[in-house]
Amino acid sequence: MTYDEIIKQFVEGMRNTTLPEYIAVFAGIASVWFSRIENIWVYPVGLISTIIYIFLSIDGHLFGEASVNLYYTIMSIYGWVLWVKKDKEEHYVVTVQFSTRREWVQQLLFCAFFYIAIFSALTWLKNAFYAATIPWADAFASSTAFTGMWLMAKKKVESWFWWIVTNIASIPLYFVKQYVFTSVFYFILFIMAVFGLLEWMKRARKLQANIQA
């Protein structure tokens, strides 16, 4: 694809952007902003975006991404409950922390399991029903997103690493599927994820310092 063709597709894609996609994008951006500052509104606002994207992804034959957004919806409810939970001393049960070496291994295995599972399912769908499906790319973006959402519910700093990878993979994936505004959305999320990572690293180090003091 030439540079002129990319620009033409971008312009046409922006013109064809539907109202539900606009709502999903802006709700998603707001959700990530709330996540960066560790605000509970990350979940109710995020639910608006994920529910809309379930239907948009199915319509675009991005079944891996549809499964991701269904997973986001379920995990948003789980994370919402977890983030507001307090112990007997009224301290929040979940705080921003770095992952241990063992947790890193668990994350990699978690991601690998879902990649294999989603890739296998999408390959079958591609051969049987939907030739436009892109199994390897869709599975990669989906499995990293599954991992990032799981870790965000537990307030692990490393969730942002996984979000960064997910966003990088999703930018071209949605672009080729004609969801240009969503592609721009993931570019914005990529930038926000970098700042989110820096913010949570600072918070985790501050918490560690307070515990050691």
Side-chain angles (χ1 to χ4, degrees):
M1 183 177 290
T2 66
Y3 175 76
D4 289 340
E5 289 174 334
I6 292 174
I7 296 299
K8 182 180 179 180
Q9 182 173 329
F10 177 81
V11 173
E12 290 179 354
M14 290 298 291
R15 287 175 179 171
N16 295 329
T17 299
T18 62
L19 179 59
E21 188 176 354
Y22 274 114
I23 294 172
V25 166
F26 286 118
I29 292 172
S31 177
V32 175
W33 173 262
F34 286 128
S35 176
R36 187 185 70 83
I37 61 176
E38 206 180 343
N39 189 298
I40 195 61
W41 275 96
V42 55
Y43 291 115
V45 174
L47 281 168
I48 297 172
S49 181
T50 59
I51 291 172
I52 292 174
Y53 268 119
I54 290 173
F55 297 100
L56 290 179
S57 298
I58 291 174
D59 186 58
H61 295 171
L62 292 170
F63 300 105
E65 289 296 296
S67 70
V68 166
N69 281 284
L70 176 60
Y71 173 79
Y72 281 170
T73 301
I74 297 170
M75 287 298 292
S76 290
I77 297 171
Y78 170 71
W80 194 346
V81 173
L82 203 59
W83 277 35
V84 299
K85 188 176 181 180
K86 295 182 179 180
D87 58 22
K88 294 180 180 179
E89 298 178 350
E90 290 299 306
H91 296 140
Y92 287 109
V93 174
V94 179
T95 56
V96 177
Q97 295 181 0
F98 291 102
S99 296
T100 62
R101 184 176 298 178
R102 181 180 179 181
E103 288 171 335
W104 259 112
V105 173
Q106 291 174 342
Q107 294 167 32
L108 293 171
L109 291 174
F110 184 91
C111 183
F113 170 80
F114 278 105
Y115 178 83
I116 294 171
I118 296 171
F119 178 81
S120 300
L122 292 179
T123 299
W124 177 79
L125 280 173
K126 179 181 177 67
N127 294 331
F129 301 105
Y130 300 103
T133 302
I134 311 174
W136 69 268
D138 203 352
F140 182 74
S142 301
S143 59
T144 54
F146 270 51
T147 311
M149 191 67 184
W150 171 48
L151 294 176
M152 192 183 83
K154 297 179 178 295
K155 289 192 178 181
K156 294 295 183 180
V157 173
E158 290 73 19
S159 64
W160 293 105
F161 286 117
W162 292 98
W163 287 134
I164 289 171
V165 174
T166 298
N167 295 330
I168 292 174
S170 297
I171 292 169
L173 184 60
Y174 275 96
F175 187 84
V176 298
K177 286 294 184 176
Q178 306 298 317
Y179 290 116
V180 174
F181 193 47
T182 295
S183 182
V184 174
F185 166 52
Y186 276 103
F187 177 73
I188 295 171
L189 292 189
F190 165 71
I191 297 173
M192 294 180 72
V194 173
F195 285 100
L197 172 62
L198 296 175
E199 177 66 27
W200 277 32
M201 287 176 68
K202 183 172 67 175
R203 290 179 181 232
R205 287 168 180 158
K206 183 178 180 180
L207 181 61
Q208 284 182 340
N210 291 338
I211 293 174
Q212 294 171 359

